[in-house]
């Protein structure tokens, strides 16, 4: 969230408004239009890695603990699960997904190893019912005001 708040307005800076989505959605078209798709992909990767590193360092400083569960492959899968549940194309989608996953883990902790199976079932239902994630579906159904 801080990375989003600290970013310049859309359309300014190193990743202009049209080149970044174009490079992500249709790389061949971006190259044919003269954009340097590799440059934008590398820049997006570096920004993502920097914000992820900042988040991990902040977590380690706040909790004064960096356990091995933080670098296990399941943590990466959990982050992907949070993002897909909430919605990838939205700002608050991953936040909603993280809230759902952490809440499920807290309330279903007494089930033990079955928590993973319940999370998988909820994930399947959400993927089938909400193609764009929860926040994406809410944004699609929410009436937009014209400026």
């Amino acid at each position: 969230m801080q990375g989003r708040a600290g970013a310049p307005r859309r359309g300014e800076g190193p990743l202009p408004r049209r080149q970044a989505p174009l490079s992500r959605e249709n790389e061949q078209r971006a190259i044919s239009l003269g954009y340097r798709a590799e440059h934008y992909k590398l820049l997006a990767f570096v920004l993502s890695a920097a914000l992820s590193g900042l988040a991990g360092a902040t977590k380690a400083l706040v909790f004064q603990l960096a356990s091995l569960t933080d670098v296990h492959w399941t943590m990466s899968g959990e982050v992907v699960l949070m993002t897909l549940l909430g919605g990838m194309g939205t700002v608050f989608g991953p936040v909603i997904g993280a809230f759902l996953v952490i809440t499920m883990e807290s309330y279903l902790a007494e089930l033990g190893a079955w928590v993973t199976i319940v999370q998988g079932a909820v994930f399947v239902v959400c993927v089938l019912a909400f193609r764009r994630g929860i926040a994406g579906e809410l944004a699609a159904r929410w009436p937009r005001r014209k400026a």
Side-chain angles (χ1 to χ4, degrees), residues 4 13 20 28 62-64 86 92 106 108 128 139-140:
R4 178 73 178 168
Q28 294 301 321
V62 168
F63 292 121
Q64 297 179 352
F92 292 108
S106 297
L108 302 175
L128 292 175

Side-chain angles (χ1 to χ4, degrees), residues 50-138:
L51 289 175
S52 298
L54 179 66
T58 305
K59 179 188 181 282
L61 286 173
V62 168
F63 292 121
Q64 297 179 352
L65 173 73
S67 65
L68 290 177
T69 58
D70 294 338
V71 294
H72 197 259
W73 69 269
T74 55
M75 181 60 69
S76 181
E78 197 170 308
V79 171
V80 171
L81 176 69
M82 291 173 184
T83 305
L84 290 175
L85 278 179
M88 288 191 337
T90 62
V91 177
F92 292 108
V95 175
I96 293 170
F99 177 76
L100 283 173
V101 170
I102 298 299
T103 303
M104 275 194 298
E105 286 178 355
S106 297
Y107 285 115
L108 302 175
E110 59 202 28
L111 294 177
W114 287 91
V115 172
T116 310
I117 294 171
V118 172
Q119 281 182 337
V122 168
F123 175 68
V124 168
V125 168
C126 282
V127 165
L128 292 175
F130 309 114
R131 293 276 181 189
R132 293 173 278 210
I134 294 172
E137 290 293 331
L138 289 175

Side-chain angles (χ1 to χ4, degrees), residues 34-51:
Y35 297 126
R36 299 182 307 179
E38 293 86 17
H39 172 75
Y40 293 115
K41 286 170 58 175
L42 178 66
L43 187 59
F45 178 77
V46 168
L47 286 173
S48 172
L51 289 175

